[in-house]
Amino acid sequence: ENTEAYHAYLKGRYFWNKRTEGELKKGIEYFQQAIDIDQRYALAYAGLADCYAVLGNFSFLSPEAAYPKAKTAAVKALEIDDTLPEAHTSLAWVKTQYDWDWAGAERKFKQAIELNPDYTPAHYWYALFLTAMGQHEKAIALAQRACEIEPLSILTNTVLGTKLSFSA
């Protein structure tokens, strides 16, 4: 509802998608700026969670430093709006990578996809989860769906390629 907060959010997503340490930290700055403008901006909290999760996943921050911040931000987003697929996906990834709560992660991934079947990160993060669970065919199907949604995304195509390599 606040244009200034929305623009900060979009800039945060832009930098999150770059996936480098510096750009993820820049994403955090923009998501925090959006939150400072609008304390009830659930999407900005989900974006913040995603930045911290990727920082931890790529070892730019230790898991102990990154994932609790990611979880706090995802939970805050869900407190504001429990129908937000981005926040369910963020929390699912934390449950996968840090909590090792497989059942909880799978529930959150499924909930995110049910809420928005076209939310690409839910598909490719769920595909990564399913690969870790040994469910390669389901992982490939999810990665293919992510590519259908965003066919020009380098990230989605990379995820699909890695899933296909596991099945070869």
Side-chain angles (χ1 to χ4, degrees):
E1 294 183 19
N2 183 307
T3 304
E4 188 180 354
Y6 178 65
H7 286 164
Y9 167 78
L10 289 177
K11 289 176 184 175
R13 280 292 172 198
Y14 170 81
F15 286 106
W16 174 69
N17 276 310
K18 296 292 186 176
R19 298 295 205 274
T20 68
E21 181 179 8
E23 288 169 311
L24 288 163
K25 289 179 178 178
K26 190 75 167 168
I28 288 171
E29 290 174 23
Y30 280 110
F31 289 129
Q32 190 59 58
Q33 184 180 62
I35 291 165
D36 291 343
I37 294 166
D38 181 357
Q39 296 285 314
R40 305 278 307 152
Y41 197 4
L43 273 173
Y45 286 101
L48 192 61
D50 289 345
C51 281
Y52 279 115
V54 174
L55 283 167
N57 194 57
F58 289 0
S59 298
F60 295 136
L61 288 177
S62 71
E64 297 79 19
Y67 285 108
K69 289 179 181 179
K71 187 174 190 173
T72 297
V75 167
K76 178 67 175 176
L78 289 169
E79 287 171 0
I80 296 167
D81 183 354
D82 68 351
T83 67
L84 196 62
E86 294 87 347
H88 287 283
T89 302
S90 302
L91 189 54
W93 193 244
V94 171
K95 288 177 176 292
T96 299
Q97 295 296 106
Y98 190 69
D99 294 340
W100 295 7
D101 175 3
W102 315 132
E106 188 156 31
R107 273 193 310 277
K108 288 293 175 190
F109 281 126
K110 287 180 178 179
Q111 193 171 9
I113 291 169
E114 182 178 313
L115 288 166
N116 182 354
D118 293 331
Y119 183 55
T120 309
H123 291 280
Y124 64 71
W125 275 354
Y126 191 18
L128 295 171
F129 167 85
L130 289 172
T131 298
M133 298 297 112
Q135 298 179 40
H136 302 297
E137 294 305 314
K138 287 182 183 179
I140 290 169
L142 282 165
Q144 287 172 327
R145 177 67 183 126
C147 286
E148 289 170 8
I149 299 165
E150 291 188 35
L152 301 179
S153 168
I154 293 170
L155 180 59
T156 58
N157 282 283
T158 300
V159 170
L160 177 58
T162 60
K163 300 308 111 207
L164 290 170
S165 71
F166 280 110
S167 68

